[in-house]
Amino acid sequence: PSSNSLNRDMTLTEFKFIWYMEYSHRMWGRVVGLAYILPAAYFWRKGWLSRSMKGCVLALCGLVCFQGLLGWYMVKSGLEEKPDSYDIPRVSQYRLAAHLGSALVLFSASLWTGLSLLLPRHKLPETHQLLRLRQYAHGTTALIFLTALSGAFVAGLDAGLVYNSFPKMGERWIPDDLLAFSPVLRNIFENPTTVQFDHRILGITSVTAVTALYLFSRKIPLPRRTRMAVTSLLAVAYTQ
């Protein structure tokens, strides 16, 4: 290690804790990969997969491998020593957001595929209201995904440590150093204050969108399963 390394007073026990956290995460990732690939190969060999399902399985297995590769690429950014840097070693917030985003896509695609096989699709009349509800649900999904990604930027920059008061940030609604970096666009991804501010705004907007989705869904006759899903979404949004 170089002479400017931080955490020189770290004990062996403290180091082991970090090491095992990382090691168990990697091992868990490999177990997830095997849980996908081994049954997929078995079902494929037995001829139990339809043509469309084969495409789906290949896409999911490919996404699992890509997720692992992205994890390695992310960790690599935290090991690159920057000359004359006295900062705490940390991974790139861009790569962290990509790793999290990929995981969310993989999880959602897996859940969607599983539910599509287990539960038959509802045959509902394509009314104007139902079409609007579906579009609104898709928009809300995109907003929640964006909010989660903004959380990765907060984690990557330790932006949660900048302000710890809510709803105001310190004494102000809009902090002074919101656009401190130049060019302006850099603030969105690299300024800890702006990153935390954006995450708060996106979080509030997401909860508002989920609430509006729930209230709108109450006006439409929906199957019990759909109503349960919307109510669960509302409950989880407020718990979060």
Side-chain angles (χ1 to χ4, degrees), residues 10-29:
M10 181 185 280
T11 64
L12 183 61
T13 310
E14 287 169 337
F15 173 76
K16 279 182 174 179
F17 175 74
I18 293 171
W19 192 91
Y20 280 117
M21 282 276 283
E22 173 68 16
Y23 181 75
S24 58
H25 181 67
R26 289 179 184 211
M27 289 302 113
W28 186 253

Side-chain angles (χ1 to χ4, degrees), residues 1-14:
S2 65
S3 58
N4 69 350
S5 292
L6 296 178
N7 303 320
R8 274 176 289 188
D9 56 346
M10 181 185 280
T11 64
L12 183 61
T13 310
E14 287 169 337

Side-chain angles (χ1 to χ4, degrees), residues 64-235:
V64 169
C65 296
F66 176 71
Q67 176 66 7
L69 192 68
L70 208 51
W72 165 81
Y73 184 61
M74 178 194 75
V75 170
K76 187 172 173 285
S77 69
L79 300 173
E80 291 164 358
E81 193 165 335
K82 298 156 188 74
D84 305 319
S85 172
Y86 293 87
D87 196 12
I88 296 166
R90 56 164 61 92
V91 298
S92 157
Q93 69 271 29
Y94 297 101
R95 297 184 195 185
L96 180 62
H99 190 50
L100 176 67
S102 175
L104 288 171
V105 169
L106 176 60
F107 177 76
S108 304
S110 306
L111 189 65
W112 185 272
T113 306
L115 290 175
S116 301
L117 292 169
L118 291 169
L119 303 169
R121 193 184 178 102
H122 283 299
K123 299 281 194 293
L124 297 173
E126 289 288 327
T127 61
H128 178 65
Q129 275 190 316
L130 190 68
L131 195 66
R132 272 186 64 201
L133 180 71
R134 188 179 289 134
Q135 287 170 343
Y136 194 72
H138 288 161
T140 306
T141 305
L143 185 61
I144 292 167
F145 182 72
L146 190 64
T147 305
L149 285 193
S150 75
F153 280 90
V154 171
L157 290 169
D158 279 344
L161 303 175
V162 183
Y163 292 96
N164 61 0
S165 55
F166 187 85
K168 285 186 177 182
M169 295 178 78
E171 297 297 314
R172 303 175 68 89
W173 288 101
I174 299 171
D176 291 332
D177 54 341
L178 200 65
L179 300 174
F181 290 17
S182 182
V184 175
L185 199 64
R186 255 187 76 205
N187 290 281
I188 298 169
F189 305 107
E190 296 178 18
N191 183 341
T193 300
T194 316
V195 165
Q196 196 197 122
F197 181 78
D198 291 345
H199 187 59
R200 288 176 179 222
I201 299 298
L202 283 166
I204 294 162
T205 311
S206 291
V207 172
T208 309
V210 169
T211 309
L213 179 71
Y214 173 78
L215 294 172
F216 182 45
S217 75
R218 301 293 293 174
K219 298 175 182 176
I220 307 169
L222 293 169
R224 182 175 168 270
R225 202 168 75 206
T226 312
R227 202 163 289 290
M228 257 177 64
V230 178
T231 309
S232 301
L233 177 65
L234 184 79

